[in-house]
Amino acid sequence: MSILSTRKAEKIDSLAEGGTSLAMDALRRTFRSPVAILGLVIVGLFVILAIISPFIAPKDPYRPYPELKAELTPSNIPGPMPGFLLGSDQNGYDFFSRLLVGAQQTLFVGVFATLIGVAIGMIIGGLAGAFGGWVDSVLMRLTDIMLSVPSLLLAISIAALLPGSQWTVIIAVAMIGVPVFARLLRGAMIAQRSSDHVLAATALGVKRKTIVFRHMLPNSIGPVIVQATLTLATAIIDAAALSFLGLGDSDWRRAEWGLMLGNAQELLSVKPSLAFFPAIAIIVVALGFTLLGESMRESLDPKNRR
Amino acid sequence: MTDETVTTTGAPGTDAVDTDAGAETVGAETVGADVAGGDVAGGEVAGTSAADDGAAGEDDVLVTVEGIEVHFPIKRGIVLERTAGYVYAVDGIDLTIRRGETYGLVGESGCGKTTLGRGLLRLVEPTGGRVVFDGTDVSTLKGEALRTSRRRMQMIFQDPLSSLDPRQSVESILVEGMRAHGLDKGKQSTRARLVELLDSVGLPESALHKYPHEFSGGQRQRIGIARALAVEPDLIVADEPVSALDVSVQAQVLNLLEQLQQRLGLTYLVIAHDLAVVRHISDRIGVMYLGSLVEEASSDSMYAEPMHPYTKALLSAVPVPDPTVEDDREQILLTGDLPSPAHPPTGCRFHTRCPWKQDTLCDTDRPELRDIGGGHRVACHYAEDIRAGEIGRHEVEPELVHPDT
Amino acid sequence: MALLDVRDLGVVFKRKGTRPFTAVDGVSFSVEPGQTVGLVGESGSGKSVTSLALMGLLPKRGAEISGSVTFEDTELLTLSDKQLRDRRGRDLGMVFQDPLSSLNPVITIGLQITEVLERHRGMSRKEARVEAAELLDRVGLPDPQRRLDEYPHQHSGGMRQRVLIAIALACRPKLLIADEPTTALDVTIQAQILSLLSDLVSETDTALIMITHDLGIVAGLCDNVNVMYGGRIVERAARHDLFERSRHPYTHGLLQSIPRLNAPRGEPLTPIRGSVSDNIEWEQGCAFAPRCPNATDVCWSEPPELKADDGRMLRCHNPVALGDAVTEGAL
């Protein structure tokens, strides 16, 4: 067989492969970077912990233990003792178990706050981007107003208005994200609207609805997903901040890191670890989501392709 | 197919090579072979279209554009927007495109050629004038009627990558238009149609499941062409169809366009800044300057005897890859820049840069496009005098144009 | 004695996690004082990387440069950054494709020119301003005094390119490198800039390296033309020889595939098949072989050398026969 035909065969082989979509490609690129892998590992561990923590927690996190209660005084909270790895919290509960189970509640708050924010934001941004004109103007002025209030202040106002419950925290934190997602999606969709391929679809006679849902929206969603990942990190921190300010969940028994951190603030001199461990947990998880989001952003950026 | 190729290239050892290069290049090859596959064929094309030119009657007209205007408002203010002025992108153009011909629209950036093409397809809303397509006034169509009317008028874009949705596979790109117009009648027939489409633009069937980013520039443009063809249009507006492609690939796409026109009887409106490309592909050429048509003539006549001073300058500015031609070329260098289309000059829009500008008429009266014989239309008050050599060229003081005003 | 002598220039891009990519390989050419040399090629031909390497503008990390670039007895590739900057300002001028991004948007045009004059020609602020206005006048900017206090965004692309040329000429360089200087401009503006460049070159005896993809520009401007493909020079000839008797199948194919203004309507084009990405590695054979109508087994197995052939340099096993080429060139 001549060199020519071997080379020819190689060439044809290389043509036969392919068929990878951009999303697949981006995903593959994302997980080439060690930063992304670190982010993914942290987030993965967190999610796994959130799921299995009720089953692996050594003690019941929602019940006081007499052994701990016995030594509990306003000026002394028991430290580690046999059976209780990190000792007691201020109410005589097993601190370690609460810390583990806290992952679940924290994830719950973070995920729902983000999801609600994304959902409302996408509806506003999507409408503004798809219709343009006065719909756009009205909706964008609305988000401008929301954006003009400092985010935490916005959450505090909402939290103060509603009765203190876990859902109050979720909604308050979600509202912080709404204008961000709305603007992001609207901007991306406006860019899409004047893009060549949308123009091409219009010229082709594709229905307006189809263009919005099949071309504009899917091509605009990338940055929203990235932002959502990043927002998960801030949502967890914001929820913690609300709890810290006493505007959080009124159910003090609930094991949630932000709440635990908030309730521990008066006990810093008595047992600093009560604040320290939830704080570290929040920071690490937030870091994980941030790393993941940032590397996704980087790989979605067309400038960084290949 | 293989035989044909060998005979055209005619070099030793080609038989081995041309079966090579795989699916990717075979398409390109075929196209080259078909057009080059005998100068006879090429000659015939030119011959027939020239004959059509002369015999063109009223019913041969596919598109009539009457006084089309696209004025973009310039908005100022943040909360209360007000219109501070207009960009006169297209400012009153009449033209007709005959069935089966290629009309080339040439001009420099900012002359409004792209806007004219889009206005004609109602991709931007014209602010005035009429477009009649095959007897129907499309400028008044609305909603569903407008959408269905789009089937017969398609578009090819300059940037083949950005005009394809990156998330769609080639199959979904091609099916989309068919679905929008109810042309996909069954799995079997659609599939056959897709393969036929790909084949006609010289791409292998395996391309169906790939995504735009996996192709080279020339191949992407082929996909764009196939997308336009999928809905069986009569008119294709090609906006800079080759300017984003590598020089060596441009010819493949130009040849493909010509071959498709021959086979499917398509009518083209080719918009380009490259005069050589327009000259090569068009039967008739219109030259645009600042939103209006300054000259219109058959391709050969435009090249042989440009009448409008701007056309003369444009033609003389195109570099020709032939040192002998370059050495004795008489260049008409224009001074200054294109004036802003938001503040077009009074009278003839070219008078600020025209080396033949006269003291009367030019800066006061806007010249109409008028026929000066043989279908050669020109919008210049002094075209005849310039042709007769009675008016000489003079120096022009450049006026500085600020782009943001 | 050549003004600039490039010997065996090679540029390999290395990035972690990807295969090293040879952008330029074994490029040799020289430029005599006052001469205009063309570097022609399509995207990926390595022409722009060559120019960046000449100017020392490639990133230190990631790009491995080999060979030698001698400018008036100085080896440019081994100069320190500071020495190179000094040299670049004084003896080497450059003009890029995108005049807007090459100019600092927040500094007046006047200051951008006087800066260079003060630094490299040791002029006082006042002298520099007078000289700057003269330079702007020379490159054809109307009302140069006023232009000095304006900002780049206040000007059109053509005017900005003139400003850039004025800056490049500020130090009366011996060599001007122009990388696609007119690609972003319209034809009539392109004609203005090209005629300006060719006037300046002949008036001041500046040597010019013109890097472009447009064969038409080269045909009118350059004494000598290098055609690049896949990072190597494949043909070098005097301008008339190249266009009238192109021997390399790539050059020949390019010339046959471009529509010409002076060819009648309907004249068929003969495209080069495939696309620029259909290369094979030069180590395996001739990079152009997959697209070449003349390719034989030897082209797929043995890399051709750049050899003198009939008054030109040619890198090809099966060049276009002379007879064919003459008829084509006569068009």
Side-chain angles (χ1 to χ4, degrees):
Chain A
M1 196 153 118
S2 76
I3 304 164
L4 208 54
S5 36
T6 351
R7 294 267 158 81
K8 174 188 97 190
E10 282 170 15
K11 192 100 201 160
I12 292 174
D13 282 349
S14 74
L15 282 165
E17 61 199 41
T20 36
S21 72
L22 269 180
M24 283 301 292
D25 208 40
L27 216 62
R28 202 181 303 155
R29 263 197 326 276
T30 306
F31 296 111
R32 230 186 267 155
S33 102
V35 174
I37 293 169
L38 180 63
L40 191 74
V41 167
I42 295 175
V43 169
L45 286 177
F46 173 57
V47 172
I48 291 170
L49 182 65
I51 295 168
I52 63 168
S53 55
F55 308 107
I56 60 162
K59 296 277 181 319
D60 184 346
Y62 292 118
R63 186 169 82 81
Y65 285 85
E67 309 83 306
L68 298 172
K69 263 238 142 101
E71 288 179 43
L72 192 67
T73 64
S75 57
N76 179 44
I77 298 169
M81 54 171 73
F84 303 95
L85 195 56
L86 292 174
S88 165
D89 73 352
Q90 63 271 41
N91 302 310
Y93 291 31
D94 177 33
F95 184 40
F96 181 65
S97 298
R98 284 178 66 80
L99 208 54
L100 286 183
V101 177
Q104 193 171 45
Q105 292 299 322
T106 307
L107 182 70
F108 180 81
V109 172
V111 164
F112 275 90
T114 306
L115 277 185
I116 292 171
V118 168
I120 301 177
M122 274 184 65
I123 291 171
I124 295 176
L127 286 174
F131 287 100
W134 67 266
V135 178
D136 180 29
S137 295
V138 169
L139 289 174
M140 280 307 109
R141 291 306 83 81
L142 197 79
T143 58
D144 283 348
I145 293 168
M146 288 177 78
L147 272 178
S148 66
V149 184
S151 58
L152 199 57
L153 208 61
L154 183 74
I156 290 171
S157 333
I158 295 168
L161 281 175
L162 300 175
S165 78
Q166 191 170 33
W167 280 101
T168 301
V169 175
I170 288 175
I171 288 167
V173 172
M175 285 306 140
I176 298 176
V178 168
V180 176
F181 290 114
R183 296 209 123 202
L184 202 62
L185 185 68
R186 180 242 180 200
M189 281 187 60
I190 296 240
Q192 286 295 321
R193 193 165 54 181
S194 54
S195 76
D196 274 0
H197 69 86
V198 167
L199 200 67
T202 313
L204 212 53
V206 178
K207 290 196 175 85
R208 177 111 196 101
K209 210 173 79 189
T210 319
I211 292 179
V212 170
F213 285 104
R214 288 204 47 196
H215 295 286
M216 287 166 64
L217 210 54
N219 277 298
S220 312
I221 213 109
V224 177
I225 293 175
V226 171
Q227 185 60 42
T229 314
L230 294 170
T231 302
L232 262 166
T234 51
I236 291 170
I237 293 173
D238 286 337
L242 282 183
S243 303
F244 194 82
L245 293 171
L247 289 164
D249 202 344
S250 55
D251 181 3
W252 54 267
R253 281 173 14 129
R254 199 190 305 275
E256 192 264 323
W257 291 340
L259 200 60
M260 287 161 71
L261 181 63
N263 292 340
Q265 58 183 312
E266 287 125 37
L267 304 161
L268 273 177
S269 54
V270 186
K271 189 177 177 185
S273 64
L274 283 184
F276 183 73
F277 284 112
I280 288 291
I282 289 172
I283 291 169
V284 169
V285 167
L287 182 75
F289 279 115
T290 308
L291 292 180
L292 190 63
E294 285 296 341
S295 22
M296 270 161 65
R297 187 210 297 282
E298 222 162 84
S299 60
L300 274 176
D301 187 342
K303 268 184 289 192
N304 293 332
R305 292 208 62 210
R306 230 160 279 277
Chain B
M1 178 161 75
T2 311
D3 289 348
E4 218 176 271
T5 320
V6 175
T7 46
T8 23
T9 38
T14 28
D15 49 347
V17 178
D18 88 71
T19 43
D20 140 74
E24 174 155 25
T25 40
V26 162
E29 181 94 31
T30 326
V31 180
D34 280 354
V35 176
D39 295 8
V40 195
E44 265 173 19
V45 191
T48 31
S49 50
D52 284 348
D53 264 5
E58 278 301 308
D59 31 282
D60 265 341
V61 170
L62 182 68
V63 185
T64 313
V65 177
E66 289 168 12
I68 192 170
E69 284 177 2
V70 184
H71 298 172
F72 295 113
I74 306 168
K75 301 272 194 204
R76 293 270 156 80
I78 299 160
V79 182
L80 296 169
E81 284 187 341
R82 64 194 168 81
T83 304
Y86 289 95
V87 173
Y88 300 91
V90 175
D91 199 17
I93 285 185
D94 299 317
L95 60 86
T96 56
I97 304 170
R98 296 170 198 147
R99 217 177 285 275
E101 81 168 341
T102 301
Y103 189 100
L105 204 55
V106 70
E108 298 180 282
S109 53
C111 74
K113 55 188 192 301
T114 294
T115 312
L116 174 59
R118 291 184 179 179
L120 196 147
L121 295 179
R122 294 273 307 270
L123 292 174
V124 295
E125 276 311 310
T127 44
R130 245 157 56 97
V131 177
V132 180
F133 179 85
D134 204 11
T136 327
D137 186 347
V138 287
S139 35
T140 55
L141 291 181
K142 282 198 178 65
E144 194 63 8
L146 174 64
R147 189 184 74 76
T148 48
S149 80
R150 295 194 185 278
R151 185 189 69 74
R152 297 184 61 194
M153 308 179 270
Q154 279 305 305
M155 181 147 183
I156 299 170
F157 293 82
Q158 169 175 6
D159 182 348
L161 184 57
S162 76
S163 67
L164 301 172
D165 188 336
R167 297 182 54 268
Q168 277 185 307
S169 67
V170 171
E171 178 170 15
S172 133
I173 288 171
L174 296 181
V175 168
E176 186 160 45
M178 296 168 66
R179 192 162 290 154
H181 296 285
L183 296 171
D184 64 329
K185 297 207 171 67
K187 232 177 173 167
Q188 291 271 304
S189 67
T190 304
R191 175 82 191 181
R193 173 77 180 134
L194 290 181
V195 174
E196 182 197 328
L197 276 172
L198 284 178
D199 185 55
S200 66
V201 297
L203 288 174
E205 192 179 336
S206 62
L208 277 182
H209 302 295
K210 296 221 244 170
Y211 291 83
H213 66 107
E214 299 177 276
F215 293 90
S216 71
Q219 293 169 323
R220 284 176 200 145
Q221 196 56 295
R222 287 166 194 273
I223 298 170
I225 294 172
R227 170 176 61 189
L229 291 179
V231 294
E232 300 160 32
D234 300 277
L235 172 75
I236 291 185
V237 175
D239 189 358
E240 301 277 10
V242 296
S243 62
L245 306 177
D246 263 317
V247 190
S248 67
V249 181
Q250 290 190 358
Q252 297 173 3
V253 172
L254 288 176
N255 282 346
L256 173 65
L257 286 174
E258 287 189 302
Q259 180 209 17
L260 289 169
Q261 179 170 45
Q262 248 171 288
R263 234 187 54 214
L264 305 170
L266 296 167
T267 306
Y268 289 144
L269 174 63
V270 175
I271 299 167
H273 72 281
D274 187 338
L275 258 172
V277 166
V278 169
R279 154 107 169 114
H280 172 81
I281 199 167
S282 313
D283 300 305
R284 287 193 304 142
I285 297 178
V287 180
M288 279 185 78
Y289 184 80
L290 264 190
S292 50
L293 214 49
V294 295
E295 186 166 4
E296 186 188 79
S298 76
S299 177
D300 289 331
S301 148
M302 184 76 83
Y303 175 72
E305 198 181 23
M307 301 287 293
H308 196 283
Y310 177 65
T311 317
K312 284 174 188 281
L314 200 59
L315 275 168
S316 85
V318 179
V320 177
D322 184 338
T324 326
V325 175
E326 281 287 312
D327 286 349
D328 9 291
R329 183 156 66 137
E330 194 211 354
Q331 273 202 350
I332 302 167
L333 282 185
L334 294 180
T335 50
D337 293 305
L338 194 75
S340 157
H343 305 283
T346 55
C348 172
R349 299 201 153 173
F350 187 55
H351 85 256
T352 52
R353 300 167 76 197
C354 179
W356 281 273
K357 186 209 155 201
Q358 298 300 301
D359 293 335
T360 49
L361 288 176
C362 290
D363 53 356
T364 51
D365 288 38
R366 195 167 164 196
E368 292 282 313
L369 205 59
R370 60 203 167 87
D371 198 325
I372 54 161
H376 198 130
R377 300 201 296 160
V378 60
C380 173
H381 298 298
Y382 296 98
E384 287 90 345
D385 297 333
I386 295 171
R387 173 162 59 176
E390 282 165 22
I391 299 177
R393 260 204 286 159
H394 53 73
E395 291 284 311
V396 183
E397 267 306 301
E399 268 178 44
L400 204 79
V401 178
H402 285 237
D404 54 346
T405 47
Chain C
M1 166 74 216
L3 180 69
L4 179 81
D5 195 38
V6 181
R7 284 279 148 257
D8 254 338
L9 182 72
V11 179
V12 181
F13 288 112
K14 286 184 173 159
R15 252 180 78 185
K16 250 188 11 206
T18 57
R19 261 193 320 155
F21 170 69
T22 309
V24 172
D25 195 7
V27 165
S28 305
F29 65 93
S30 61
V31 184
E32 304 294 328
Q35 198 185 26
T36 300
V37 170
L39 224 53
V40 200
E42 296 177 275
S43 56
S45 64
K47 58 184 193 304
S48 288
V49 176
T50 304
S51 81
L52 292 175
L54 294 185
M55 301 292 312
L57 291 177
L58 285 173
K60 283 268 172 306
R61 282 176 48 187
E64 206 165 85
I65 307 172
S66 58
S68 90
V69 177
T70 326
F71 182 78
E72 288 187 317
D73 297 329
T74 318
E75 172 58 56
L76 293 184
L77 292 185
T78 53
L79 285 186
S80 75
D81 275 0
K82 193 186 166 306
Q83 288 169 313
L84 189 64
R85 235 183 350 254
D86 205 42
R87 203 71 212 235
R88 209 152 57 199
R90 236 172 339 105
D91 294 331
L92 294 157
M94 52 189 157
V95 181
F96 293 105
Q97 174 175 350
D98 182 359
L100 187 56
S101 63
S102 313
L103 289 167
N104 187 335
V106 295
I107 296 178
T108 62
I109 287 167
L111 203 60
Q112 301 197 39
I113 307 178
T114 50
E115 215 174 51
V116 180
L117 290 169
E118 284 169 39
R119 183 154 145 209
H120 292 293
R121 278 171 66 185
M123 291 184 167
S124 71
R125 175 70 40 106
K126 240 189 186 145
E127 286 170 337
R129 215 179 138 83
V130 174
E131 173 76 12
E134 255 166 50
L135 279 166
L136 287 183
D137 187 48
R138 197 153 115 222
V139 296
L141 232 69
D143 198 3
Q145 280 297 341
R146 249 183 69 201
R147 303 289 89 81
L148 289 176
D149 299 317
E150 292 178 345
Y151 291 88
H153 70 91
Q154 292 174 293
H155 291 264
S156 66
M159 289 301 157
R160 287 196 285 255
Q161 197 57 284
R162 283 168 195 268
V163 172
L164 219 59
I165 293 174
I167 293 175
L169 291 175
C171 293
R172 309 203 181 108
K174 296 179 181 124
L175 175 67
L176 194 63
I177 299 180
D179 191 350
E180 301 266 11
T182 58
T183 306
L185 307 174
D186 275 316
V187 226
T188 57
I189 309 296
Q190 163 172 295
Q192 292 173 9
I193 299 290
L194 290 179
S195 107
L196 171 70
L197 276 177
S198 86
D199 287 352
L200 290 171
V201 163
S202 61
E203 278 166 26
T204 57
D205 214 33
T206 310
L208 173 68
I209 299 180
M210 185 73 181
I211 295 148
T212 178
H213 70 280
D214 190 334
L215 285 164
I217 290 176
V218 168
L221 197 66
C222 301
D223 304 314
N224 250 317
V225 184
N226 296 285
V227 180
M228 292 189 69
Y229 191 82
R232 296 192 186 192
I233 292 176
V234 293
E235 186 167 12
R236 161 162 61 242
R239 137 181 105 114
H240 280 273
D241 283 347
L242 186 85
F243 284 93
E244 280 148 34
R245 291 181 299 279
S246 52
R247 299 290 311 282
H248 197 282
Y250 174 63
T251 322
H252 190 68
L254 267 188
L255 283 169
Q256 292 212 307
S257 68
I258 34 182
R260 288 154 189 251
L261 205 53
N262 55 344
R265 151 95 176 106
E267 180 101 352
L269 303 174
T270 316
I272 303 177
R273 66 178 160 207
S275 71
V276 184
S277 55
D278 301 330
N279 286 353
I280 60 167
E281 303 271 330
W282 277 109
E283 286 70 32
Q284 293 178 15
C286 174
F288 187 59
R291 305 177 67 193
C292 182
N294 287 6
T296 53
D297 270 10
V298 66
C299 303
W300 287 84
S301 53
E302 252 178 63
E305 294 296 321
L306 191 66
K307 288 190 296 253
D309 182 337
D310 169 35
R312 73 184 69 211
M313 297 301 278
L314 195 60
R315 190 191 291 278
C316 183
H317 294 301
N318 298 309
V320 178
L322 266 177
D324 303 358
V326 171
T327 45
E328 279 315 317
L331 262 181

